[in-house]
Amino acid sequence: MSPLGRLYGLGIGPGDPELLTLKAHRILTTVPVIAYPTLENGKVLARAIVADFIRPDQIEIPMPLPFSVERSSQPYYDIAAEKISEQLSLGRDVAVLCVGDPMLYGSFMYILNRLAGRFAIEVVPGISSVMASAAMLGVPITYRNDVFSIMPGTLEAEILRDRLSQVDAAAIIKLGRHFAKVRDILAELGLLNRALYIERATLPNQKIIPITEVDPEAVTYWSLILVPSITQPQ
C-alpha cells in the first residue's frame, strides 16, 4: 500500500509572481497535483498568478466556489476536499494554491478543516494583500503601540461602525458591493481623509484611486481600503 500524500496549503502572494516565496516555488514545481479555487464567473486568479510555473504533466483540480453570501459554500468545499483526498490516498502530494496567505481569510482553511487528522498537512505562508497594499501605497500601517485591525466590508453597518470607531489603523477587505456602506461609515467617523483605496494590488491592472473618486458600481472583490495610523512624531 502506497504511503499517503502530503497536503500543502500554498500561499502564492497577492498577484505578482515575483512575490512567490522560494519554498512555495519549490513545492509548486515538484508536486504531482495542484488544486485551486475558481470563481463563479469562470475566472481563475490563483492559477493565473503561477501559470508560468505549472508543468503540463501535473494533475489539476479546479475547485468551483461561490463567492456570494446568498449561496452556501459547504457542498462545494465537501466536493473539493473529496477530490483532493482521492489523490492523497493514492500517495500523491497535493498543493492547494492560495492567493495571499492560506490562513488569513483563505479558502484553504475550509479544506484544512475537512482533511486535518487524515493526512499530513503543511502550510506555506504567503504575502497577504493587506501587506502588499501598504507597500504599493507607500504608507506605514502602524507606529509604536498602535493596534491594527483587519475587518471584512461584509459586516453589518452597525458592527463595522463600532469596530472602526475604535481603531488606530485598519484594513477593510472584501469590498465589492459593500464599498458605499464602508465609505459612508468612514466619512461619519472622520476617517475618510486618511482612507486609501487600492484594487488588485501588485497585479499589472492594479489601481490606486482617491477614495472620493471611486465609482461604487465598479469596485471589485479584489480591493481594499487601508486606514493607516496617524503619523507619529520622530
Side-chain angles (χ1 to χ4, degrees), residues 47-112:
R47 189 190 189 284
I49 292 172
V50 297
D52 290 344
F53 307 128
I54 297 174
R55 305 191 319 269
D57 63 311
Q58 286 176 304
I59 298 170
E60 300 188 27
I61 304 177
M63 303 187 301
L65 299 174
F67 274 69
S68 57
V69 295
E70 294 81 4
R71 298 176 61 184
S72 171
S73 59
Q74 178 176 338
Y76 295 88
Y77 284 114
D78 289 342
I79 293 170
E82 181 58 31
K83 289 182 178 179
I84 291 170
S85 69
E86 290 174 0
Q87 296 296 326
L88 293 169
S89 297
L90 292 172
R92 296 173 180 145
D93 293 344
V94 180
V96 179
L97 308 185
C98 311
V99 177
D101 183 89
M103 301 305 233
L104 183 65
Y105 294 100
S107 56
F108 174 73
M109 296 184 294
Y110 304 101
I111 301 297
L112 172 68

Side-chain angles (χ1 to χ4, degrees), residues 5-215:
R6 177 180 290 267
L7 174 63
Y8 295 95
L10 208 61
I12 60 174
D16 182 349
E18 291 189 343
L19 294 177
L20 195 68
T21 66
L22 292 174
K23 185 170 186 177
H25 179 271
R26 174 178 58 80
I27 294 170
L28 171 65
T29 55
T30 56
V31 292
V33 185
I34 59 171
Y36 46 81
T38 63
L39 307 185
E40 291 173 293
N41 58 11
K43 293 185 178 180
V44 191
L45 177 60
R47 189 190 189 284
I49 292 172
V50 297
D52 290 344
F53 307 128
I54 297 174
R55 305 191 319 269
D57 63 311
Q58 286 176 304
I59 298 170
E60 300 188 27
I61 304 177
M63 303 187 301
L65 299 174
F67 274 69
S68 57
V69 295
E70 294 81 4
R71 298 176 61 184
S72 171
S73 59
Q74 178 176 338
Y76 295 88
Y77 284 114
D78 289 342
I79 293 170
E82 181 58 31
K83 289 182 178 179
I84 291 170
S85 69
E86 290 174 0
Q87 296 296 326
L88 293 169
S89 297
L90 292 172
R92 296 173 180 145
D93 293 344
V94 180
V96 179
L97 308 185
C98 311
V99 177
D101 183 89
M103 301 305 233
L104 183 65
Y105 294 100
S107 56
F108 174 73
M109 296 184 294
Y110 304 101
I111 301 297
L112 172 68
N113 292 342
R114 285 162 170 78
L115 299 182
R118 296 171 55 190
F119 304 98
I121 300 176
E122 181 176 350
V123 177
V124 180
I127 297 172
S128 74
S129 62
V130 174
M131 299 299 105
S133 293
M136 296 300 100
L137 289 164
V139 292
I141 299 176
T142 53
Y143 293 87
R144 297 179 181 174
N145 295 325
D146 289 334
V147 176
F148 178 52
S149 302
I150 302 175
M151 57 194 75
T154 52
L155 288 172
E156 295 291 334
E158 292 182 5
I159 298 174
L160 191 60
R161 183 180 298 106
D162 178 65
R163 300 286 176 85
L164 283 170
S165 68
Q166 304 174 54
V167 300
D168 296 317
I172 305 103
I173 63 175
K174 302 183 182 180
L175 289 175
R177 60 189 177 86
H178 301 278
F179 171 82
K181 172 187 69 180
V182 175
R183 178 200 58 201
D184 292 346
I185 292 173
L186 289 171
E188 178 185 334
L189 296 175
L191 297 173
L192 199 61
N193 63 326
R194 285 165 52 194
L196 303 168
Y197 174 88
I198 184 171
E199 59 184 55
R200 299 184 175 91
T202 78
L203 285 165
N205 56 346
Q206 168 185 294
K207 291 182 180 179
I208 297 174
I209 307 171
I211 195 167
T212 54
E213 299 177 14
V214 174
D215 177 6

